[in-house]
Amino acid sequence: MANERRQDISDRYLNSVEEINRIMYSGRLHEWQGMDLSISQFNTLVMLKQMGSMRMGMISYYLKNTLAATTSIVDRLEKKSLVVRTKDPEDRRVVICELTEEGQKATERFWRVAREAALRVAGKWDQEQLESVVNALELILRTHKEIVQSGVSSKANE
């Protein structure tokens, strides 16, 4: 009986997470389409926004692309003035990529859509409800961070 209850709650949790993702991304989809970027280009922008300046090789590694494919992606982003490449002063062979001011603004516009949607929802809650939701979300984030730091793969929990 306890296992059935846990399974039911787990199903509700997963359904809620999926629905929240759909809600948050559906509004951003319009913003993303207006940016005229491929998924790979967009992923590169998001990664640079989250991680800061990166070597071309690291971008390739994280996106699981070849160096040639990553170079092509960055070429297109550079032509759109969203990314700039510089040489590492300590090793001129190393190319470092970073967002331009326009690239920063583009990623901020994308995230702003989700933030505004989240604020509209939170605006409907009283203080106690808001605190409860924030505590739950912080628990999710802490747990995720612990899993990532411990190196446990998602397969281990299946």
Side-chain angles (χ1 to χ4, degrees):
M1 193 59 116
N3 285 343
E4 288 177 21
R5 173 105 172 104
R6 181 160 182 93
Q7 183 62 48
D8 179 55
I9 294 169
S10 293
D11 289 346
R12 288 174 47 209
Y13 165 72
L14 292 174
N15 289 335
S16 296
V17 168
E18 289 171 359
E19 185 64 22
I20 289 168
N21 277 328
R22 276 192 288 278
I23 291 167
M24 298 305 279
Y25 283 101
S26 66
R28 289 194 268 179
L29 183 59
H30 177 70
E31 186 69 35
W32 173 59
Q33 290 170 333
M35 295 168 81
D36 191 31
L37 299 172
S38 71
I39 291 172
S40 296
Q41 291 169 342
F42 181 75
N43 287 340
T44 302
L45 284 182
V46 169
M47 187 173 56
L48 288 171
K49 176 70 174 173
Q50 291 176 331
M51 300 180 81
S53 300
M54 295 180 72
R55 291 175 171 215
M56 186 76 78
M58 289 307 292
I59 295 171
S60 178
Y61 172 80
Y62 280 114
L63 295 179
K64 296 177 177 43
N65 283 334
T66 64
L67 193 54
T70 303
T71 299
S72 178
I73 291 165
V74 171
D75 283 344
R76 286 188 220 109
L77 290 171
E78 198 169 35
K79 284 178 185 167
K80 294 175 188 262
S81 300
L82 299 172
V83 170
V84 65
R85 284 186 265 211
T86 58
K87 298 283 185 188
D88 185 332
E90 295 178 19
D91 185 347
R92 305 278 300 153
R93 298 169 295 173
V94 175
V95 176
I96 297 175
C97 301
E98 63 185 304
L99 292 178
T100 62
E101 186 175 330
E102 187 60 35
Q104 291 281 350
K105 289 177 184 176
T107 55
E108 287 166 9
R109 279 193 311 269
F110 179 78
W111 293 119
R112 186 181 62 240
V113 171
R115 290 178 62 86
E116 289 169 355
L119 286 172
R120 280 192 303 275
V121 171
K124 298 288 187 181
W125 298 328
D126 64 31
Q127 186 76 20
E128 188 176 315
Q129 290 170 320
L130 179 58
E131 191 170 340
S132 176
V133 171
V134 169
N135 287 336
L137 291 171
E138 288 174 346
L139 174 61
I140 291 168
L141 292 171
R142 278 193 313 273
T143 304
H144 175 71
K145 186 176 181 179
E146 289 169 8
I147 290 169
V148 169
Q149 288 176 342
S150 71
V152 175
S153 74
S154 60
K155 299 249 183 223
N157 294 326
E158 293 177 1

